[in-house]
Amino acid sequence: DEIRRLGVRIGDRVFIEKAGEIIPQVVKVITELRTGTEREFEFPKFCPACRGPLSRAEQEVAVRCTNPGCPAQVKERILHYAGREAMDIEGLGVELVDRLVDLGLVKDAAGLYRLTPGQLVNLERLGEKSAGKLLASIQASRERPLARLIHSLGVRHVGLRAAEVLAGRFASLDELAAAPEADLTAIHEIGPVIAGSLADYFRNPDNRRLLEELKAAGVRFDRRDGLAGPAGTGPLAGRTFVITGRLEKWTRSRAREIIQRLGGRVADSVSGRTDFLLAGADPGSKLDRARELRVRVLTEAEFSKMIDTRQIP
């Protein structure tokens, strides 16, 4: 829509400013600098990866391939499943996923659990030691927290926060899959859009097959990690945190889990209801917002002392 509104062509020079002092925004085309070689952008009609039909939902920006077997989508679903905030499979990067899918060794996330040492050591640039580490990480992923599993499925509109809310409400993935859409809609922070997306996902026979294969592979479907104990309990009960910047001691997802295990809540943005901002390196605008609202800012060292001593101001 912006390309059409601005009349941007390939080869144009454009004027850019930082919207909100952060995001680069194309403001206008400098038409007086055109040389006549600029070309109009041709919007895609077919998926560049599988030549499948494309679709764009009304009121949405994204143009999506509608072929669920599209190899690019298969690869991205596996990468999302293995991501740090999902099942956290260390060593499973873009190049390796490309090779595994292209060679037909893996067709979906469940296929990761059927990989053998022999299959991996025969891959180019993957030695016996690296293969062993990867298989160990895949094995460990069977025991990830329920919220991570829900997030890993890649359900549209279900990010990590929504997955955490659902994991706190349902005792297992099976219980979530069986929940009526109306019950999902009634959950605070879920609502009709996420509920509808979840219902569509669990109705899909291909998705149901994937879940059956994941369970058969030993992936734990129940909430047993102790990270989401009884709501409102623990030394951080009633306290809301926001995490920003680069942390050195933990990943941000691990810090989030620690806060939740101690009864706290993690929000995405700083507001008047925020109690603490955990700020790592390069914290950005969230730190400015916290100072403006007089939210207490914690360094990693202060946060570590807080959770170690359980002394919560």
Side-chain angles (χ1 to χ4, degrees), residues 198-249:
L198 284 163
D200 289 343
Y201 181 88
F202 290 120
R203 276 195 294 261
N204 185 296
D206 290 331
N207 295 334
R208 291 202 301 271
R209 176 195 55 76
L210 172 64
L211 296 179
E212 289 170 2
E213 291 186 7
L214 288 174
K215 182 182 284 188
V219 176
R220 196 98 182 236
F221 274 35
D222 60 315
R223 187 179 65 213
R224 51 60 194 107
D225 49 73
L227 293 175
T233 63
L236 295 181
R239 305 299 183 93
T240 298
F241 287 72
V242 172
I243 305 171
T244 189
R246 186 179 67 256
L247 303 179
E248 300 295 335
K249 185 174 181 179

Side-chain angles (χ1 to χ4, degrees), residues 237-264:
R239 305 299 183 93
T240 298
F241 287 72
V242 172
I243 305 171
T244 189
R246 186 179 67 256
L247 303 179
E248 300 295 335
K249 185 174 181 179
W250 306 282
T251 63
R252 289 170 66 164
S253 59
R254 179 57 182 157
R256 176 188 289 263
E257 289 175 0
I258 291 170
I259 292 167
Q260 291 169 332
R261 187 185 67 217
L262 298 175

Side-chain angles (χ1 to χ4, degrees), residues 157-186:
H157 307 299
V158 180
L160 183 56
R161 175 58 193 161
E164 290 166 346
V165 171
L166 293 166
R169 171 63 177 78
F170 297 97
S172 69
L173 188 63
D174 291 324
E175 186 178 299
L176 169 60
E181 187 172 343
D183 290 356
L184 296 171
T185 301

Side-chain angles (χ1 to χ4, degrees), residues 178-193:
E181 187 172 343
D183 290 356
L184 296 171
T185 301
I187 299 172
H188 179 60
E189 294 189 71
I190 298 302
V193 174

Side-chain angles (χ1 to χ4, degrees), residues 104-159:
L105 296 175
V106 173
K107 295 181 180 179
D108 54 29
L112 296 171
Y113 299 100
R114 293 190 287 269
L115 288 171
T116 66
Q119 290 174 321
L120 292 176
V121 296
N122 288 327
L123 295 177
E124 185 182 356
R125 298 192 301 276
L126 191 70
E128 187 174 338
K129 185 175 180 180
S130 296
K133 286 184 176 180
L134 175 60
L135 288 172
S137 188
I138 291 172
Q139 169 69 21
S141 73
R142 290 180 166 95
E143 298 293 327
R144 299 292 182 232
L146 179 58
R148 297 281 200 95
L149 175 61
I150 296 170
H151 179 52
S152 76
L153 300 178
V155 182
R156 280 192 71 190
H157 307 299
V158 180

Side-chain angles (χ1 to χ4, degrees), residues 8-29:
V8 181
R9 299 177 185 177
I10 297 171
D12 267 336
R13 289 176 180 263
V14 297
F15 183 84
I16 295 177
E17 66 181 15
K18 293 175 85 174
E21 300 184 359
I22 298 174
I23 301 171
Q25 178 183 7
V26 178
V27 177
K28 68 176 181 178
V29 177

Side-chain angles (χ1 to χ4, degrees), residues 70-131:
C70 171
Q73 290 193 51
V74 170
K75 293 173 181 178
E76 289 299 325
R77 283 196 292 268
I78 294 170
L79 283 167
H80 177 77
Y81 181 88
R84 182 172 290 180
E85 292 191 337
M87 300 300 267
D88 195 16
I89 301 177
E90 189 175 352
L92 195 65
V94 175
E95 290 186 13
L96 182 53
V97 169
D98 282 346
R99 280 184 281 164
L100 291 172
V101 174
D102 292 343
L103 291 171
L105 296 175
V106 173
K107 295 181 180 179
D108 54 29
L112 296 171
Y113 299 100
R114 293 190 287 269
L115 288 171
T116 66
Q119 290 174 321
L120 292 176
V121 296
N122 288 327
L123 295 177
E124 185 182 356
R125 298 192 301 276
L126 191 70
E128 187 174 338
K129 185 175 180 180
S130 296

